[in-house]
Amino acid sequence: MAYKTCVSIAETTPKKVQSTLRRALQKSDYAEIRFDFLRPEQIPDTLQLIQNHLRRCVCTLRPKSEGGKFDGSEQNRVSILKLIAEYRPYLLDIEFSTVSKNKSLLEYVRKTGTQILVSWHDFKGTPSFSVLYSRMQKMKKLSKNVKIVTVANSVNDATVVLSLYRKQDENLVAFSMGDYGRVSRILCMSLGSPFTYVSLGKPIAPGQFSVDEVKSIIRLQK
C-alpha cells in the first residue's frame, strides 16, 4: 500500500501559491491548490505560473455555500472551473451538488481529459452509514474519483466514514474532520485512499496533520 500525502495550499497571491507549491512538492507527493483563496482575476496568472506542476495538483474552487471562500456568481465559478480543467491537473475537485446539476460542466471537463474528484462535505456531523453509502454510489456514477468528508462528533462517527472502505478502493478519499476524526486521516491511507490531506505547518482544516507529522508516522509503520 502506497502512503501518499497532498499538501493543502491556501495562499492569496499567485506568487505565494507558486513559492508554497514548490516547497510543498519537495516534501509531498501531491498538493491541493485552493483557488478560492485567490481573487478570481488572479487565477489565470496563477495557472500560468504553476502549469508545469499541475500534474501533481488537486485543484479546488470551493464556494462559500460549501465551506470555501469563493463568493462570486456560480456562472463565473463554472467558467473558472472549465479554465482550470484545460490545464489538465491531476484532479479537479468539483462538489457533488455542482456536478450533479450541471451536466454540461461534467461533459466539458471530461472532454479536456481532466479527471474529476467528486466531493461531498458535511460540516456539522456524520450521517448514518446507509446514507453515506447511498451518496457514494450516486457520486461514483459521475466519476470514479470520490471524496467524502464529514465532521466527527465521536470516535464512532470516524469509524462510520472509514467503513465506506469495504473493499480497498484506490479512488476513494474518505475521512472525518475534527479531533475525533483526526486518526481517520491516517487510517484512510491503509484502507485504500490514494492520499491524505496535510498542511505545511498551519492546518487548513480541523484536525489536519502536517506533512512532517504524517511522514514520521509512515516511517514508524514501515
Side-chain angles (χ1 to χ4, degrees):
M1 180 61 62
Y3 292 84
K4 295 185 177 182
T5 57
C6 181
V7 171
S8 297
I9 296 173
E11 298 288 7
T12 55
T13 69
K15 286 289 188 182
K16 284 182 179 178
V17 171
Q18 183 185 38
S19 62
T20 303
L21 178 59
R22 283 175 176 164
R23 286 194 295 121
L25 293 180
Q26 287 174 355
K27 291 189 170 189
S28 181
D29 304 280
Y30 306 110
E32 178 196 33
I33 309 297
R34 288 291 303 269
F35 282 99
D36 48 299
F37 279 75
L38 294 162
R39 296 195 309 274
E41 63 269 21
Q42 294 175 313
I43 294 176
D45 286 344
T46 306
L47 288 166
Q48 282 292 315
L49 283 174
I50 65 172
Q51 59 182 321
N52 292 335
H53 300 294
L54 284 170
R55 293 307 296 166
R56 292 172 63 191
C57 292
V58 179
C59 295
T60 306
L61 185 65
R62 196 80 73 212
K64 280 196 169 181
S65 60
E66 294 272 359
K69 298 286 187 183
F70 186 87
D71 60 0
S73 70
E74 183 63 5
Q75 183 179 2
N76 188 23
R77 194 174 76 91
V78 168
S79 295
I80 296 170
L81 286 170
K82 289 179 177 179
L83 174 64
I84 295 171
E86 291 170 3
Y87 279 81
R88 300 283 303 277
Y90 166 52
L91 290 170
L92 176 56
D93 182 330
I94 306 179
E95 303 76 23
F96 176 60
S97 60
T98 299
V99 77
S100 60
K101 295 173 187 174
N102 195 329
K103 294 299 190 292
S104 63
L105 172 62
L106 179 65
E107 290 303 316
Y108 188 94
V109 175
R110 282 177 175 169
K111 284 179 181 177
T112 66
T114 296
Q115 294 282 321
I116 294 175
L117 177 63
V118 181
S119 63
W120 181 82
H121 296 73
D122 188 324
F123 294 101
K124 294 182 178 179
T126 300
S128 66
F129 175 79
S130 60
V131 169
L132 287 176
Y133 185 79
S134 175
R135 175 135 319 180
M136 181 178 71
Q137 294 304 112
K138 291 175 182 176
M139 294 167 75
K140 282 187 173 182
K141 291 178 180 177
L142 299 169
S143 174
K144 66 179 182 179
N145 305 294
V146 170
K147 177 187 179 187
I148 294 177
V149 179
T150 71
V151 167
N153 294 312
S154 67
V155 173
N156 184 64
D157 282 351
T159 303
V160 167
V161 175
L162 292 176
S163 296
L164 293 171
Y165 292 99
R166 289 295 174 90
K167 296 178 180 179
Q168 288 202 339
D169 188 342
E170 62 184 18
N171 297 309
L172 173 65
V173 180
F175 61 87
S176 297
M177 294 183 286
D179 290 340
Y180 286 112
R182 195 164 159 83
V183 69
S184 69
R185 292 176 175 271
I186 300 295
L187 294 176
C188 69
M189 292 187 290
S190 62
L191 293 170
S193 180
F195 55 80
T196 193
Y197 289 88
V198 294
S199 70
L200 272 181
K202 184 180 178 182
I204 303 298
Q208 193 176 56
F209 288 94
S210 73
V211 63
D212 290 334
E213 288 173 327
V214 172
K215 294 293 185 183
S216 294
I217 293 170
I218 291 171
R219 280 194 295 269
L220 289 172
Q221 291 182 330
K222 289 182 178 179

